[in-house]
Amino acid sequence: MAISPTFAKIACVVVVAMVVAAPAAEALSCGTVSSSLAQCIAYARSSGGTVPTACCNGIRTLNSLAKTSQDRKDACACLKSAAGRISGLNLSLIAGLPGKCGVNIPYKISPSTDCSKYDYSLLF
Ligand SMILES: *[C@@H]1O[C@H](CO)[C@@H](O)[C@H](O)[C@H]1NC(C)=O
């Protein structure tokens, strides 16, 4: 079967478009999630009080980066594993963080969160 020049051109455009679009479609990485919340760790290890502005900014940034349901699900998994990995965190302080920053997160950030239970297309 001969490939027509028109088909070859279209195929070429499609391949280039896929290559160009690929980085934008990349899932939210755990590194991004952790660095967004780095400013919250000292607060989460403290005995409460005022949430640092930088921490709330990080939470809001994360919330705005997690646009798709898959991003939100990935973010949940990253938060869950970070909550389990970082020692000395006061989990009740962490659970209250999104609310204190005015961000609505449907799940509790905790090592025991079941990230598969939530419908991320409806929430946030
Ligand atoms: C966590 O923080 C809350 C609110 O400040 C406090 O009442 C609680 O005792 C803390 N828990 C731990 C384990 O430090």
Side-chain angles (χ1 to χ4, degrees), residues 29-39 41 62 78-79 82 85-86:
S29 78
C30 277
T32 305
V33 172
S34 309
S35 61
S36 303
L37 299 182
Q39 302 298 322
I41 292 171
L62 184 58
C78 293
L79 292 169
R85 205 176 52 240
I86 302 167

Side-chain angles (χ1 to χ4, degrees), residues 46-48 90 92-93:
S46 74
S47 51
N90 182 328
S92 63
L93 284 180

